Amino acid sequence: MKTSFAISGGTVGSPNEGAPHVYVRVVTDVGVEGWGEARPSHRWSCETLETVTSTIAGYLKPALLGAEVSDLQTIHGLMNKEIKPDLSGGQPIAKAAVDMALHDAIGRERGCRLPELWFAGFRPELKLSYLISTASPEEAGRMASDAAAKGYRGLDVKLGLRPDADLDLLEAVKAAAPNLFLRADANQAYNLQQAAKLARAMERIGVDVFEQPLRADDLHGHAQLRRKTDIPIALDESIWTTGNLMQAIRAEACDTVVVKVTKMGGLTGARRCGELAREAGLGLLGGGLTESRLALAASAHLFRYLRIEDPVDLNGPLFLADDPVASGPRIDEGDVVLPDRPGIGCEISAEKLELYGCRSNV
Ligand SMILES: [Mg+2]
């Protein structure tokens, strides 16, 4: 990490402690490989570096060895038989890394770029949002004007780091960058009364979307909040699976759904959630968990496929000093150009994996 990243639940990565990224390599019987990535954070969800690696090495790998790589239906059945889905899919971040690696391998084996596996065209360009994670309104304002000067089109502001400063934070950001799309993410920091009060202030300030204000399991509260404000409510931590999404639709708990490949158990689950949300008339926002350029590229391909509007919150490049991707997306501040190669399109450097302390023999 080149800079620290905090959300309302705590620090999710820092230059001193780094941040966990797990890389999975699958090899098919004809020697084609595929790579996937998991980025757990125990401040954001219940999976950790240890649970992801032990689940993959001790449970998913033995269950999948010998399975037909391109039969993802069967593979997800085998993974879910081994690690039973709970309300959040049953260790979706671990399963996502495997699902991503298999998509990469299938694409490489067939000579298809990722979206072509979904009978969709390759769309290489996308724009990233700029993420502001600070409790200081002055610093937030400086970051917002800096982002605007660099050509970013949208800001994602993390709330709840110091709840009493949130309004000042949003006002400073809006004053510094009045024309940028403004997404305010509370990461479950509030109760209904606090969220309703803040939402009314957001209407005055001109916030575009209020993300995950209440606890993940409080769909009823989010539905009540929607009746108290005109600010669109987005759900992120509440929606991991199509089952969660259907409950949210029935409860009328949100206007918008945050699609993330890793929380939704991989490209398979995230694509299904994105399509279902679209069919239900909900808006879509694209997000990530500060993954490296491997999962960034996989997510970007899916967001193009789902026609998610830019800018998307794939903020890894803002926070990571380096990654083990030897060749992958070209990133210049908020502008990304995806690699024109089969699969996800990234090559992984064994030297870099070794350098950053990862081991391939688990
Ligand atoms: Mg979020």
Side-chain angles (χ1 to χ4, degrees):
M1 301 286 287
K2 60 187 173 192
T3 178
S4 290
F5 183 17
I7 60 173
S8 62
T11 300
V12 298
S14 70
N16 283 342
E17 296 182 8
H21 294 250
V22 179
Y23 295 86
V24 172
R25 184 174 75 118
V26 298
V27 184
T28 73
D29 54 356
V30 295
V32 173
E33 68 176 25
W35 285 91
E37 179 184 356
R39 168 41 174 130
S41 168
H42 57 103
R43 302 296 183 199
W44 190 80
S45 84
C46 64
E47 288 177 84
T48 67
L49 173 63
E50 293 78 10
T51 65
V52 167
T53 50
S54 64
T55 294
I56 293 170
Y59 297 86
L60 302 181
K61 177 180 167 181
L64 297 184
L65 279 176
E68 170 56 45
V69 167
S70 62
D71 186 358
L72 286 174
Q73 289 292 95
T74 298
I75 282 175
H76 277 280
L78 290 168
M79 287 202 285
N80 289 339
K81 185 161 179 273
E82 197 61 22
I83 301 290
K84 188 81 176 164
D86 59 5
L87 289 176
S88 67
Q91 303 212 39
I93 290 175
K95 289 171 180 169
V98 176
D99 173 272
M100 197 185 295
L102 292 167
H103 274 85
D104 192 32
I106 297 165
R108 291 182 193 220
E109 205 163 80
R110 296 182 182 179
C112 290
R113 296 166 296 193
L114 187 56
E116 291 165 335
L117 295 177
W118 306 319
F119 301 101
F122 172 66
R123 299 170 67 221
E125 290 170 7
L126 86 160
K127 292 193 177 294
L128 307 181
S129 66
Y130 187 94
L131 197 143
I132 293 175
S133 155
T134 172
S136 156
E138 295 74 28
E139 191 185 7
R142 277 197 302 275
M143 292 168 100
S145 54
D146 192 38
K150 285 177 174 164
Y152 284 91
R153 290 188 192 167
L155 301 168
D156 181 4
V157 179
K158 291 292 182 188
L159 299 180
L161 276 62
R162 219 180 73 212
D164 62 344
D166 280 342
L167 260 187
D168 291 341
L169 202 74
L170 290 170
E171 277 174 347
V173 165
K174 191 66 181 179
N179 299 320
L180 269 59
F181 184 84
L182 180 49
R183 170 176 171 178
D185 188 359
N187 293 111
Q188 317 183 53
Y190 304 116
N191 63 35
L192 181 58
Q193 285 70 31
Q194 292 166 324
K197 192 173 164 200
L198 195 55
R200 280 191 290 274
M202 285 181 180
E203 291 172 12
R204 175 175 53 77
I205 293 167
V207 172
D208 291 295
V209 62
F210 191 6
E211 181 175 332
Q212 200 67 51
L214 310 177
R215 261 178 34 186
D217 63 358
D218 192 5
L219 293 180
H220 182 67
H222 284 101
Q224 284 186 291
L225 180 61
R226 282 186 70 229
R227 293 187 203 106
K228 295 174 190 287
T229 179
D230 293 331
I231 299 276
I233 302 298
L235 289 182
D236 183 1
E237 291 97 313
S238 293
I239 298 180
W240 299 74
T241 67
T242 48
N244 301 156
L245 176 55
M246 285 191 285
Q247 294 295 335
I249 293 167
R250 285 192 192 114
E252 300 183 354
C254 64
D255 301 279
T256 299
V257 173
V258 180
V259 177
K260 285 182 180 165
V261 167
T262 48
K263 81 168 173 179
M264 288 168 166
L267 291 155
T268 302
R271 184 162 71 106
R272 210 171 275 155
C273 283
E275 288 177 336
L276 178 58
R278 273 262 187 268
E279 289 298 316
L282 299 176
L284 298 180
L285 286 170
L289 299 169
T290 59
E291 295 97 339
S292 76
R293 284 176 296 156
L294 174 62
L296 181 147
S299 302
H301 281 301
L302 180 72
F303 297 165
R304 303 295 70 176
Y305 166 84
L306 289 170
R307 299 291 195 265
I308 291 179
E309 273 183 42
D310 287 343
V312 296
D313 274 11
L314 294 171
N315 304 115
L318 281 176
F319 294 97
L320 303 178
D322 194 12
D323 68 21
V325 178
S327 75
R330 287 205 316 277
I331 300 171
D332 178 18
E333 291 292 347
D335 293 300
V336 178
V337 180
L338 296 170
D340 188 358
R341 282 198 297 271
I344 296 168
C346 294
E347 297 301 330
I348 302 298
S349 158
E351 294 75 31
K352 285 280 179 74
L353 288 180
E354 189 65 31
L355 176 67
Y356 294 121
C358 297
R359 296 288 176 266
S360 59
N361 59 349
V362 286

